[in-house]
Amino acid sequence: MTPALELRGITKRFPGVLANDAIDMTVRTGEIHAVVGENGAGKTTLMSILFGLFPADAGEIRVRGEPVRFSSALDAIRAGLGMVHQAFRLFPTLTVADNVVFREEPTRRGLVNRSESIRQVGDVAERYGLAVDPSAVIETLPVGVLQRVEILKALYRDAQILILDEPTAVLTPQERDKLFEVIRRLRDTGRTILFITHKLGEVMSLSDRVTVLRDGRSVADLITADTDPEEIARHMTGRDVDLDRRAPAHQPGEAVLEVSRLSATGEHGRSAFREASFEVRSGEIVGIAGIAGNGQNELIETVAGLRPPDGGSISLNGADITNAEVSTRRSAGMAYVPEDRHGVGTSHRASVWANLLVGHQRDPAFQRKGWFNLSAIRDHARSLIKTYGIRSGPIGAPVSTLSGGNLQKVVVAREMSHGAPLLIAEQPTRGLDIAAIEFIHDRLVRFRDGGGAVLMVSAELSEILALSSRILVMFDGRIVADLDPSKVTEAGLGLYMTGAREDGPDG
Amino acid sequence: MAEQVTAQRSPLASRVGAALSHPVVFSLVLAFALGWLIVYLTGRDPGFAYSEMLNGAVTGSGLRNTLGRAVPIIGMALAVSVAFRSGVINLGGEGQMVVGGLAGALVAIYTPGPGELVIPLAMLAGGVAGAAWAMLPAFGQTRLRLPILITSLLLNYVARAITGYLVRFHFLDDSVTLTSTRQVPEMARMPRLPIFGGVSLSLALVIVLVAAAWVVYGRTVSGYETQMAGLNGRFARYGGIQVERQTVGVMVVAGAIGGIIGTHMIIGDAYRFIDGELVVSGLAWTGLLVALLAANHPLMILVAGFLFSGLQIGGLAMQRNADVSWRLSQVLQALVIVAVASRLTFGWFKRQRTAPSEGELEPAAVGEV
């Protein structure tokens, strides 16, 4: 039988990086095919090439045996491909049906026939068991439903090959289980699913076959039933999996950050997290694990002063900062690497030096009576660029000219350069390549060894396990466990993260 | 292929091409070309009309008038740009100018004393009144979450009504048929400089204000913080910048500049506060257009302000001498802004001949979800 999809020798070079190096992959019709690899292994690049978002430098794509050449996503859609991106691409103020039929609207006498589009979208949703109300407005819907809308968009265009790019990152466990049901049902109707992930549990429970990418190459093509997580992980990392690679134990010192019974409200007026109590001591890294959307982000925002608390208290080096301004927290010794490095951690139209300065624009080293010492600011920026190996053009150029890894280095360099005793690092390595990840991990460990206190949130369990001195697990807005990383496995963490186990913050 | 074409061009041609690929330059050229066509279609001579416009703007008393009109245009452009650059959408320049203008006028008319004292006092009063008026929408936004965009715009009508009432029922000059205050006494009028046929001292004041803005943006903490807030509010908050407090400060500065310009219009130009006069002139809105054209850059505001002032003054001369309505000036202003706002460049037309870019395929990412 002709494979649904064949990739032969796909190669893509970005400035300084060989993102895809002669990748071969065969996807059989009617299978769920997982594509796994660490961040920076080339998964997203490969899928973008497959979906026509940018051209490969070399190589060939065949769909059902036919060589194809996509110059845009429209070509890919026409060839029967559908992609569900990590960041949803939906019009927030329009209805589900409007979003699904966009550019393919059913018309009557040249006008959009909305009742027809609602009927058609409802039909498609029902046929595949996707519970979605076609007339609901997008911005009122939870994330899990939005993902179904994205899947509906592909199915409405009769996509035979569906690409899902890390679809579970934003889902709750229940939503994830529903998604898996939908994916299996789609396979049973003869569709082909490409499932991109770096979570081994999902690979094992869902996929029929696995392609492993590492450093831009496809290093293994395995049948899921014949393999095990250790083998996949070995292929992903290129070495025997050392799940016990722990940062050496360190004697923690005094408590730097003390959070007591803290609660806050999230978007839409719902409680984001409740009664969170913990402390971070000097010389330790406290990792917060949890599936995205269980209150970690709101907790960090509240500690950082970007979200008002409903109750509880926060103190930094003994001083109460529960309701302090961000500037007060910063001068009291808080540094913060935020999750959203594009929207919060940097300002893309501002210059490199302006981005390296923020938070310290009122430090006496950089200004006197409100007048900038421009040469001190420039020297500081240049020395950070040098120390942290940031590849950038002139320091007056907008920071938008930097790559993702260099952008994150800008944030990390800025936050670590002022000797603040507390560093909050939220998803510090998300989306970075392996070299940048190692660099940042190394910096975090050095910061800890220098007596710094680190509060880290990460969706990467391997990162949490490798760096943390203690692990807090959040589920449904509560801290459900406080664990010693030497006595817990990834699977054990998973039980807490999905709410299957809990022993309370002091358990 | 495009590279070969560039390579074969003469240096002059490629320099012209480079200039045309700048959106502002391209917009100006496009607007004047379209204006040329419009005049041609009415059966007049476009070359003659444009040369009369130019002559009228820069020769004889035209130059003095151009510089004079540039004062409020540049001033109001500066006021609006101070807000825009900080991410505050202040559309209340007109109201701030009117309120400040009346306050300044009343101080100038009713305060006895020498000009050296009364004129600065009037300017101060105008600035304070404009700032106070601008604080209404500022606090509306920071305390009540009412968008400044809307409240500042609507308060323009309130400002017009209140000042009109005050003039009509409390400060009316019965000796004229206008709804107007008394005249500003000679002594309290803004002096004129002995250059360019006697331009107002306010021109120097406005240039100083522009230069001050330039220095503040380039060299001070406040300038940095306001710009960061304007570029990305979430980044600014994350960096410890108190965006709410800053919004009030920025509105105070913008309102003060508006009020000072309003006062200048009375004590340096009209010499009496006539109800509606400052509104009908549309100066605040011309200032807004200039700020847009200059992308809120202080020095570019000077250039663009003189340009628009020249267009308006030259347009009047063109109407007198070439029998082409001065409305053409407004058409040109509008065309420039439409072209700038649509980010049209020479390159845009070239791109249209190639395939659509990938960004047009899908709706923008919602991002937050």
Side-chain angles (χ1 to χ4, degrees):
Chain A
M1 192 174 161
T2 322
L5 192 63
E6 287 172 276
L7 305 179
R8 290 286 165 262
I10 299 292
T11 300
K12 179 75 187 178
R13 185 182 294 279
F14 290 116
V17 190
L18 189 56
N20 284 173
D21 184 3
I23 290 182
D24 291 340
M25 187 164 88
T26 305
V27 184
R28 286 152 191 81
T29 304
E31 72 177 5
I32 298 175
H33 192 116
V35 178
V36 300
E38 294 196 305
N39 281 331
K43 295 171 296 192
T44 302
T45 303
L46 186 65
M47 292 308 124
S48 302
I49 290 169
L50 178 56
F51 202 57
L53 298 180
F54 42 75
D57 298 338
E60 187 185 47
I61 302 173
R62 287 167 181 265
V63 176
R64 287 179 294 276
E66 293 291 315
V68 291
R69 196 153 204 95
F70 299 149
S71 59
S72 77
L74 285 184
D75 293 344
I77 291 166
R78 249 179 250 123
L81 271 63
M83 183 149 182
V84 176
H85 296 271
Q86 259 181 74
F88 302 141
R89 290 153 190 238
L90 298 167
F91 298 110
T93 57
L94 299 184
T95 65
V96 169
D98 289 337
N99 271 280
V100 170
V101 302
F102 176 66
R103 274 175 164 258
E104 307 261 335
E105 297 87 348
T107 56
R108 196 172 57 187
R109 293 192 209 102
L111 299 172
V112 175
N113 186 344
R114 299 191 104 160
S115 56
E116 178 63 16
S117 65
I118 288 178
R119 196 188 62 76
Q120 286 185 6
V121 172
D123 279 357
V124 178
E126 201 175 328
R127 199 175 322 143
Y128 298 101
L130 290 156
V132 180
D133 172 10
S135 50
V137 175
I138 291 296
E139 61 191 359
T140 65
L141 298 174
V143 173
V145 178
L146 296 182
Q147 192 166 50
R148 272 175 246 156
V149 177
E150 286 282 1
I151 295 173
L152 266 180
K153 269 164 69 180
L155 295 176
Y156 180 79
R157 286 160 182 76
D158 203 26
Q160 292 299 318
I161 303 170
L162 210 57
I163 307 168
L164 296 140
D165 190 1
E166 307 222 0
T168 59
V170 291
L171 299 185
T172 63
Q174 294 77 12
E175 286 172 331
R176 183 195 57 194
D177 293 344
K178 278 189 196 144
L179 172 69
F180 284 5
E181 275 172 41
V182 169
I183 290 176
R184 290 197 186 96
R185 204 173 302 132
L186 288 172
R187 175 192 51 194
D188 297 342
T189 64
R191 278 163 222 267
T192 308
I193 316 289
L194 257 178
F195 185 87
I196 299 152
T197 185
H198 54 250
K199 294 177 184 161
L200 296 181
E202 296 178 357
V203 173
M204 297 311 294
S205 69
L206 187 66
S207 71
D208 301 312
R209 196 174 265 278
V210 195
T211 297
V212 183
L213 301 185
R214 185 176 78 233
D215 297 344
R217 283 188 294 271
S218 54
V219 292
D221 188 4
L222 309 163
I223 293 166
T224 311
D226 298 343
T227 185
D228 53 48
E230 282 71 27
E231 186 184 3
I232 299 174
R234 195 159 54 237
H235 286 299
M236 280 170 72
T237 54
R239 56 174 185 261
D240 274 334
V241 203
D242 186 12
L243 287 178
D244 295 326
R245 188 205 139 203
R246 305 285 151 94
H250 210 79
Q251 200 54 48
E254 298 286 301
V256 175
L257 176 73
E258 289 167 283
V259 171
S260 172
R261 308 190 59 151
L262 192 66
S263 305
T265 308
E267 310 308 326
H268 313 298
R270 282 194 298 244
S271 163
F273 63 91
R274 294 174 296 284
E275 302 273 316
S277 298
F278 61 93
E279 58 176 33
V280 185
R281 288 165 295 178
S282 124
E284 73 172 355
I285 297 177
V286 173
I288 298 184
I291 293 164
N294 278 287
Q296 307 93 308
N297 178 249
E298 290 87 351
L299 171 64
I300 294 300
E301 281 182 355
T302 308
V303 173
L306 297 176
R307 181 179 291 277
D310 295 336
S313 69
I314 311 165
S315 74
L316 181 57
N317 276 334
D320 180 74
I321 55 159
T322 311
N323 294 302
E325 298 278 357
V326 174
S327 50
T328 313
R329 288 170 206 246
R330 281 187 172 273
S331 45
M334 178 185 290
Y336 173 32
V337 176
E339 174 177 39
D340 182 356
R341 76 183 68 118
H342 298 282
V344 178
T346 60
S347 176
H348 68 276
R349 278 156 65 202
S351 64
V352 173
W353 71 258
N355 273 283
L356 284 168
L357 177 67
V358 88
H360 299 278
Q361 65 273 9
R362 289 179 184 267
D363 285 5
F366 300 131
Q367 56 94 26
R368 255 189 72 189
K369 295 181 178 165
W371 291 87
F372 269 153
N373 180 347
L374 287 176
S375 62
I377 289 171
R378 286 198 202 98
D379 289 348
H380 175 70
R382 289 204 185 90
S383 88
L384 287 183
I385 286 170
K386 196 153 167 266
T387 320
Y388 288 80
I390 301 166
R391 264 184 254 162
S392 86
I395 58 170
V399 81
S400 60
T401 54
L402 271 58
S403 73
N406 280 301
L407 204 59
Q408 184 70 344
K409 281 187 186 174
V410 165
V411 179
V412 170
R414 176 184 68 215
E415 296 306 312
M416 285 191 171
S417 64
H418 297 279
L422 174 69
L423 175 70
I424 302 173
E426 207 179 359
Q427 313 292 359
T429 60
R430 175 185 281 174
L432 301 186
D433 63 35
I434 291 167
I437 291 171
E438 281 177 355
F439 178 87
I440 285 168
H441 283 177
D442 183 49
R443 287 284 166 176
L444 288 173
V445 170
R446 267 205 251 171
F447 181 80
R448 177 204 66 187
D449 292 347
V454 180
L455 178 62
M456 177 177 75
V457 176
S458 177
E460 305 285 338
L461 284 189
S462 55
E463 183 166 74
I464 293 270
L465 284 165
L467 296 179
S468 304
S469 322
R470 278 189 305 128
I471 301 174
L472 306 175
V473 185
M474 283 191 81
F475 174 72
D476 193 26
R478 286 175 309 120
I479 295 176
V480 294
D482 183 345
L483 306 167
D484 178 346
S486 65
K487 293 176 186 148
V488 69
T489 60
E490 215 165 298
L493 272 181
L495 287 176
Y496 289 103
M497 287 165 62
T498 54
R501 255 182 88 177
E502 72 175 80
D503 37 57
D506 304 313
Chain B
M1 204 180 82
E3 285 169 25
Q4 287 171 349
V5 173
T6 318
Q8 284 165 5
R9 270 197 211 140
S10 69
L12 178 67
S14 65
R15 200 170 297 172
V16 170
L20 281 180
S21 65
H22 191 282
V24 172
V25 176
F26 182 80
S27 301
L28 289 169
V29 171
L30 182 73
F32 278 91
L34 287 172
W36 183 285
L37 188 68
I38 291 167
V39 177
Y40 178 78
L41 289 177
T42 63
R44 312 302 207 290
D45 177 358
F48 183 60
Y50 279 169
S51 71
E52 284 306 312
M53 185 187 276
L54 183 64
N55 276 329
V58 299
T59 59
S61 66
L63 183 60
R64 187 193 65 207
N65 291 337
T66 296
L67 295 176
R69 194 166 185 84
V71 170
I73 291 178
I74 292 170
M76 293 315 292
L78 185 67
V80 81
S81 75
V82 163
F84 280 13
R85 243 186 131 143
S86 319
V88 178
I89 310 298
N90 172 27
L91 296 182
E94 188 172 276
Q96 292 143 25
M97 180 166 88
V98 169
V99 168
L102 181 62
L106 295 180
V107 168
I109 293 166
Y110 293 103
T111 310
E116 292 80 8
L117 192 72
V118 175
I119 292 171
L121 205 59
M123 287 297 210
L124 182 70
V128 168
W133 189 250
M135 279 166 79
L136 290 176
F139 282 122
Q141 175 157 310
T142 57
R143 300 275 167 84
L144 307 171
R145 298 191 162 213
L146 301 170
I148 283 184
L149 168 71
I150 293 170
T151 48
S152 66
L153 180 67
L154 293 180
L155 281 168
N156 289 340
Y157 301 100
V158 180
R160 162 98 199 253
I162 291 176
T163 52
Y165 162 82
L166 288 174
V167 171
R168 189 177 298 266
F169 292 104
H170 294 280
F171 302 104
L172 192 68
D173 180 359
D174 294 329
S175 66
V176 289
T177 54
L178 299 163
T179 309
S180 161
T181 61
R182 281 167 32 198
Q183 277 211 325
V184 176
E186 295 272 355
M187 225 161 45
R189 293 179 187 178
M190 187 60 85
R192 292 186 173 276
L193 299 169
I195 47 167
F196 303 124
V199 293
S200 170
L201 179 63
S202 301
L203 181 66
L205 176 69
V206 162
I207 290 174
V208 167
L209 285 176
V210 167
W214 185 57
V215 171
V216 165
Y217 283 127
R219 306 202 69 97
T220 70
V221 177
S222 315
Y224 172 82
E225 291 192 339
T226 52
Q227 287 181 96
M228 290 304 117
L231 289 173
N232 180 349
R234 294 168 68 205
F235 174 75
R237 279 194 189 86
Y238 157 80
I241 295 164
Q242 288 164 11
V243 178
E244 267 71 36
R245 194 178 301 174
Q246 189 174 285
T247 296
V248 176
V250 159
M251 285 297 282
V252 163
V253 172
I257 297 173
I260 286 170
I261 297 302
T263 305
H264 154 77
M265 288 306 290
I266 308 307
I267 69 172
D269 190 278
Y271 303 135
R272 51 167 82 233
F273 186 97
I274 307 170
D275 177 34
E277 180 92 340
L278 291 177
V279 176
V280 173
S281 67
L283 286 168
W285 302 104
T286 306
L288 181 82
L289 298 185
V290 165
L292 285 176
L293 180 62
N296 300 320
H297 190 285
L299 301 187
M300 292 310 292
I301 282 174
L302 272 187
V303 176
F306 284 125
L307 177 76
F308 272 34
S309 173
L311 264 181
Q312 295 188 352
I313 299 298
L316 295 172
M318 177 184 69
Q319 170 159 303
R320 277 195 307 274
N321 303 331
D323 193 28
V324 174
S325 167
W326 64 272
R327 296 275 179 199
L328 180 66
S329 296
Q330 290 187 324
V331 172
L332 289 173
Q333 284 181 14
L335 285 173
V336 172
I337 295 304
V338 169
V340 166
S342 7
R343 297 174 203 284
L344 293 181
T345 63
F346 193 50
W348 183 81
F349 286 97
K350 281 197 291 194
R351 271 200 303 282
Q352 293 310 297
R353 283 190 241 126
T354 60
S357 66
E358 129 198 356
E360 293 162 49
L361 293 173
E362 297 200 346
V366 176
E368 298 302 311
V369 290

